[in-house]
Amino acid sequence: MTIDNGAGPDAAKAPAVMESDRTVVHRGVRSMHRQRRLLRIGILALIVLYVLLSVLPFYFLFVRTFVSTKDSTDLWLWIPPAEQVNMNANVGNLSVYLNLDIGDLKEQWDIPPTEYLDPRWNLNRVSEEYGVPEQTIRDTLRPHGRFNGWIVLLGNSDFWTATLRTILVAGLGIIGINVLGIMTGTGLAGLRHRFHRLIYATFLLEIVIPPFLILLPQFLLVNKIQALIPGASQPGLVRDVSQLAVIVGLYIKGGALSTMIFTSSIGAIPRELEEAAEIDGASRWQYIRHVLLPLMKVPIAGLTVIMLPFFWNDFLQPFVYLDSGNTTLQPLIQSFTGQYTTNFRIVYTGVFVSILPLVVIYFLFRKWFISGVLEGAVKG
Amino acid sequence: MPSTQQISYGDGAPPKVKRRLSARQRKRNRQDILLVAPQLALFVFLVLVPLIVALPLLFSDMSRFGDTQVNYIGFDNFTRLFTDPGIASDYWSGLLKTVRFTILNYAMVFAFGLTLALLMYEVGFRGGLFTMIYLPWMISGLAVGFIAVMLFSESSGTVNLLLEKIGLIDKPFSIKSDTGTTVILPLLVGWKAAGFNMAIFLAGLMSIPKDTIEAATVDGASYSQRLTRVYFPQMVPSFVIATIFALVGSFKVFDELVAMGGLSQNDAAEFLSILFFRWGFTENKLALAMTLAVITFVPLTIISIGLQRFQRRATTYHD
């Protein structure tokens, strides 16, 4: 267009036409740019709106940890005002609706444990009969007006032991699946021999085996084995440890994902590296420890960020394999629904608190999590 | 394309020529077996042996884990599932609920995952926003179920109360009704998986060569034309993966339903997975429960493999 080889009368006109053309194009481009920018801002706003909406359930869950069952039929967009202590309320009702232990109350109010605290008495009567100052009663009950869910949950020793067990099995699961996965990957890398390929294919079978199909026979088998362990049939440390070991075993048994990740990433290490280590007199173990392991940071992180949520949030397997007194967080919270039927805010507090550790880890290591999921998605 | 080539050292060892292995190689193979042994033993014992144990039990009348006297009854379990009046009605209603949920859940994959991926693609990848969208993936299924109850319980659900206050609805949703469960649960499961599905579709979008899109834009293709002619045909692998995940995931949904009372009193939450669990662990119908699992999951597995095959062929043709 810029090369004008026209001649004659048209040649004189051409520059003028071109100029006006250019300004029109220019203006068009500018308005297109503006339109595009507006569109981009609009799209960004939409995504931000989605993010805000998507955070709302977390926020509502947090608010509901403060809302008593009595108040729950009202809409609360923020933590409700603290309930005042009603001295006419009777002790029995309070212990039911706030899940307070009457023994604890007696201790806090300096009433001898041998005394019978009639659940039908109201607080005024308790104050008169036992000479407990009204202020003491008010002081012990006031925090429950707002923080009952949190106080009961954090004061529940089952909650803490279940948290510790969850950390234990999830932690051992992560360590185990990485250690065993790297061993498997090292053993299979290169798929040199027929038996290598056979074992590799065996692990890949996991993809086509529905977990529900093997759940029942698996349970059958594991029970048979556990019956052989002396002491595992009665309640006690042996039983608890063996049950937790089953959960860890189920986590670290390996399968398609860990085998594919480690076999391919170890196979991709240049062979010269191992040969060089060999020439330097390193044993295979020394090679694995000092050369291979440091190269495994990315696959380890990748597998960990994928598996950790599954281990931490696992409900079905602990629910099936662990006794109720020896359980992890998810089944415990499920059992809360039967235990705190009249006080659902404890359940919500439990749900909220059980989410927190993983969310904190997620935000701390968000780069790993995001690159893990994106790479996983690319590879399919 | 073949993945084994990427993994192998590529030393070009001819596989067909039988050579005597050197002592060094034999030692190496022994070491390899030792390295693989621990995990392989666990895997075989916890996955393969149960599978082998399961097969004969499908044709037995085993009812409880402790059963010592087990009779083989041929295909009775399979026929009972569809004909025995007490069992078939539970099975069909469970299947109906599960299928309804699966369809809606599959729709949510696109409503959340694909939409967000397309929006994000237009403005370029934003790590911060992605982090927030992916966040619900960290929540357990059980917690998703409890959140569903918290937001949509008939008398105290926060969303119900909010919508009533604004005046958008007269009657609250009920999580315990059939329609409630089938509409609300996919919504929340879709919310949980939004980031996950978005990652799948985003990966597909980002793999499209830039010049193809530019060429289409220069040729004056509208956005919808670009979607149907350029984006979607090149995102087939993403669609297949998302479909497989949604299909298998929907039939496996369990924890959410337990939190919604599936094991206690909520009939609306009695999907096949809940039925399977009740039959197997509490109602002494062990063999029947395993039959249910086979009937339900084997077809799903076959469909998944078929889809993957289809995708592989489709992509090879494109190449």
Side-chain angles (χ1 to χ4, degrees), chain B residues 137-179:
Chain B
W137 188 250
M138 298 298 128
I139 305 178
S140 66
L142 199 77
V144 169
F146 280 122
I147 289 174
V149 175
M150 178 196 81
L151 294 177
F152 291 98
S153 133
E154 199 162 11
S155 58
S156 64
T158 308
V159 170
N160 271 337
L161 294 168
L162 191 67
L163 292 181
E164 278 181 304
K165 185 140 203 167
I166 301 172
L168 278 178
I169 53 169
D170 302 326
K171 246 182 74 199
F173 297 106
S174 171
I175 193 88
K176 293 211 167 158
S177 72
D178 266 3
T179 46

Side-chain angles (χ1 to χ4, degrees), chain A residues 11-270:
Chain A
K13 267 187 197 164
V17 172
M18 265 171 62
E19 202 168 281
S20 69
D21 245 14
R22 210 177 279 157
T23 43
V24 167
V25 168
H26 203 72
R27 223 178 269 150
V29 166
R30 206 190 281 157
S31 83
M32 233 170 76
H33 270 298
R34 199 183 299 138
Q35 255 180 6
R36 275 204 68 79
R37 226 180 53 206
L38 275 174
L39 194 68
R40 281 169 67 95
I41 292 171
I43 291 171
L44 265 181
L46 263 178
I47 300 175
V48 170
L49 184 72
Y50 174 80
V51 167
L52 290 177
L53 276 172
S54 129
V55 176
L56 264 187
F58 292 99
Y59 173 73
F60 283 141
L61 185 65
F62 175 70
V63 170
R64 284 293 282 275
T65 66
F66 299 99
V67 178
S68 70
T69 307
K70 185 161 65 70
D71 291 341
S72 68
T73 48
D74 294 325
L75 177 64
W76 297 103
L77 296 176
W78 175 237
I79 301 170
E83 250 177 286
Q84 296 307 305
V85 179
N86 177 4
M87 293 301 283
N88 290 319
N90 75 38
V91 178
N93 277 349
L94 278 178
S95 87
V96 169
Y97 290 114
L98 297 177
N99 290 92
L100 301 174
D101 184 48
I102 294 203
D104 286 351
L105 288 179
K106 284 199 275 197
E107 206 181 301
Q108 282 172 312
W109 295 340
D110 281 328
I111 301 169
T114 47
E115 288 289 335
Y116 174 61
L117 189 60
D118 193 326
R120 284 165 303 181
W121 289 359
N122 68 25
L123 293 174
N124 279 322
R125 178 132 183 226
V126 173
S127 165
E128 283 162 26
E129 297 272 343
Y130 291 105
V132 187
E134 195 183 316
Q135 202 51 46
T136 313
I137 292 180
R138 283 185 181 279
D139 285 349
T140 51
L141 293 179
R142 188 173 300 117
H144 287 279
R146 194 173 253 170
F147 300 105
N148 176 260
W150 289 82
I151 294 171
V152 175
L153 180 83
L154 300 181
N156 184 339
S157 61
D158 285 350
F159 166 73
W160 291 105
T161 48
T163 307
L164 284 179
R165 276 185 219 109
T166 312
I167 295 172
L168 186 76
V169 290
L172 288 177
I174 290 296
I175 294 170
I177 198 163
N178 279 303
V179 170
L180 292 183
I182 289 174
M183 284 166 67
T184 305
T186 313
L188 296 182
L191 301 173
R192 289 177 294 113
H193 204 266
R194 190 189 288 157
F195 81 85
H196 290 106
R197 291 189 283 273
L198 185 72
I199 295 173
Y200 186 77
T202 308
F203 278 115
L204 255 59
L205 264 184
E206 194 213 10
I207 300 174
V208 295
I209 301 176
F212 270 124
L213 180 60
I214 54 170
L215 182 67
L216 293 168
Q218 199 180 55
F219 184 73
L220 199 75
L221 273 176
V222 168
N223 272 358
K224 288 244 162 77
I225 298 295
Q226 270 185 320
L228 299 176
I229 303 171
S233 49
Q234 309 105 355
L237 190 66
V238 178
R239 185 179 172 83
D240 291 355
V241 171
S242 75
Q243 285 182 342
L244 293 173
V246 170
I247 299 295
V248 175
L250 286 166
Y251 289 169
I252 65 177
K253 68 178 187 297
L257 184 69
S258 71
T259 306
M260 285 198 292
I261 288 182
F262 286 120
T263 306
S264 71
S265 56
I266 293 171
I269 297 173

Side-chain angles (χ1 to χ4, degrees), chain A residues 304-314 358 369, chain B residues 137-138 140:
Chain A
T304 300
V305 297
I306 292 172
M307 297 317 290
L308 187 63
F310 290 107
F311 294 170
W312 183 267
N313 291 330
D314 189 17
L358 196 61
F369 276 91
Chain B
W137 188 250
M138 298 298 128
S140 66

